[in-house]
Amino acid sequence: MFGLDPTLSALLIFCLLAAFAFEFINGFHDTANAVATVIYTNSLKPWVAVAWSGIWNAFGVFAGGITVAVGITSLLPIELLTDTNIHHSVALIMALLLTAIVWNLGTWYLGIPCSSSHTLIGSILGVGLAYSFIAENKNVSYVNWGKASDIGLSLLVSPLVGFSLAILLMYILRQVVKNKSIFKEPNTTAPPPFWIRAILLITCTGVSFSHGSNDGQKGVGLVMLILIAIVPGYFAIDGTKDISDYKHNIKEIQSIVAQVDQTRLNKSDSFEFAKFGSLVASLDKRLNYATQFEYLTDKEKYAIRKDVIQINKASKKMLESADLSLSSNDKKKLKSKVEELKSVTDYAPSWVIMMIAIALGLGTMVGWKRIVKTIGEKIGKQHLTYAQGASSELVAAGTIGLSTFFGLPVSTTQVLSSGIAGSMVASKGVKNLQPATIKSIAIAWILTLPVTVILSGALFLLFRMIL
């Protein structure tokens, strides 16, 4: 396989299966977020609901792109992303996958809605912190705290948004909808009126699609980490790209940078400017005599990948300087050109997306009962009404869709659970919530980060010693 020896081939297969398992578990762990309402309102039979949800989860993976995947993997230290030692990279991958799988399975078994995004991000932070203990340069931060704070804020704010918007939407529905049957508990033996079923089916579809478009990208990112680590000659860069476009891109970047008045830069900014220029020159030299990416050696491909990643990081620091003597248009153009460079490293083959779509879709079709029961019966003291189900899912689909558009990971579980809690509060106040369930969800939310940070960090150090 890919010209690897038997040991590395077996390792590659094992890692890919583990990534498939992670996304499969993600599917059945989060299924309830989409199907709880249509099941509890008898709008769809359970297996019809999960099959429908699985199909739309898979569609979402294809439509989601890879922006979220890139955002999550950017939390990892550049030193780990560009480490050419296969065994070091495998230690990273195994630590991430095992931590995410263990925590997701544990919370699923207990029937506690838990965020796969939260789990994966905690695992990545744990690896970064653990690497700081063994790295040669102790003066460098090996966690991208800027990106981590953006993602952390997204995970923190999105449940609050879901809770608040669900309350608001329930209020609007009470004022606008004259047919009060939508606010009643579902009939346990008969389906709701057609128009209610249609609304709930649409919201179920929306949550399923948005979940696939956001959560599916996490699996795509993991698979690409595996492929780049073990077979960089095939996957370090996108060999299908036209190398002439990137040569032209580099010349434009150099032309813009040549306009900068270096005498206006302070010592720190001068260092960042020189670093950026050196990296661009290095990449220019590597591509100068090449005719196509696919003809480059494995070493050359990995070197190009490293240059592009470092150019992106250096450009962000350089553009932060208030003394950079470029017009706003030139700054935007420079940023755009660097983003275009990243397209050769930030990609995923269609078969990887297909693999994750299948894993997420199949996972959606099994193991759903535990979480559905929590979502449908245990968050509030009453069963979900038609209005509560529709408003919660509508808020969740919208919040997740916007987050995907901006390239931010959010927790489908947290957004929908908070939306249901908000809809329950809107009906009968805080007393309508079940304290025991809310406490369990809150404890899982609080514990996820420290547990996954510690576990992934410990596993990473262990695997680095034995591999």
Side-chain angles (χ1 to χ4, degrees), residues 67-68 214 400-408:
T67 308
V68 174
N214 197 280
I400 298 164
L402 282 174
S403 299
T404 302
F405 178 79
F406 289 109
L408 292 171

Side-chain angles (χ1 to χ4, degrees), residues 22 68 115 156 165 179 217 224 287 291 333 345 352 362 391 425 433 449-450:
F22 165 79
V68 174
S115 166
L156 177 64
L165 288 182
N179 187 339
Q217 291 192 50
M224 290 309 297
L287 299 183
T291 56
K333 186 177 180 181
T345 58
V352 171
L362 290 177
S391 60
V425 170
L433 298 176
L449 199 60

Side-chain angles (χ1 to χ4, degrees), residues 3 13 26 79 94 107 139 179 234 296 361 448 465:
I13 293 171
N26 186 7
E79 290 76 9
M94 294 302 297
T107 52
N139 298 319
N179 187 339
Y234 288 88
L296 299 173
T448 293
M465 287 190 294

Side-chain angles (χ1 to χ4, degrees), residues 184-206:
K184 296 178 181 179
E185 288 191 13
N187 188 320
T188 57
T189 59
F194 175 78
W195 68 276
I196 293 178
R197 293 182 71 185
I199 291 172
L200 291 171
L201 180 60
I202 291 171
T203 56
C204 167
T205 303

Side-chain angles (χ1 to χ4, degrees), residues 36-100:
T37 56
V38 290
I39 291 175
Y40 267 90
T41 57
N42 294 307
S43 297
L44 289 176
K45 296 294 184 182
W47 285 108
V48 175
V50 294
W52 180 259
S53 179
I55 292 169
W56 283 98
N57 263 286
F59 284 157
V61 177
F62 279 99
I66 60 168
T67 308
V68 174
V70 171
I72 289 180
T73 55
S74 67
L75 290 173
L76 289 165
I78 287 180
E79 290 76 9
L80 286 177
L81 291 174
T82 57
D83 192 337
T84 56
N85 187 312
I86 291 179
H87 296 94
H88 290 175
S89 299
V90 170
L92 157 70
I93 293 161
M94 294 302 297
L96 294 179
L97 288 172
L98 288 178
T99 300

Side-chain angles (χ1 to χ4, degrees), residues 337-363:
K337 292 302 175 183
V338 172
E339 287 293 325
E340 289 175 17
L341 274 185
K342 287 176 59 185
S343 65
V344 78
T345 58
D346 297 351
Y347 80 104
S350 57
W351 69 265
V352 171
I353 298 173
M354 175 66 78
M355 168 186 164
I356 295 302
I358 292 172
L360 192 60
L362 290 177

Side-chain angles (χ1 to χ4, degrees), residues 300-353:
E300 288 170 334
K301 290 178 181 177
Y302 216 95
I304 289 171
R305 176 177 181 81
K306 186 174 182 178
D307 279 347
V308 171
I309 292 174
Q310 290 182 324
I311 285 171
N312 178 57
K313 183 177 180 180
S315 70
K316 291 178 180 178
K317 289 186 177 181
M318 185 181 72
L319 287 169
E320 289 174 356
S321 172
D323 297 324
L324 191 67
S325 55
L326 289 176
S327 67
S328 58
N329 285 336
D330 282 337
K331 288 181 179 180
K332 288 179 181 178
K333 186 177 180 181
L334 178 60
K335 184 178 179 180
S336 173
K337 292 302 175 183
V338 172
E339 287 293 325
E340 289 175 17
L341 274 185
K342 287 176 59 185
S343 65
V344 78
T345 58
D346 297 351
Y347 80 104
S350 57
W351 69 265
V352 171
I353 298 173

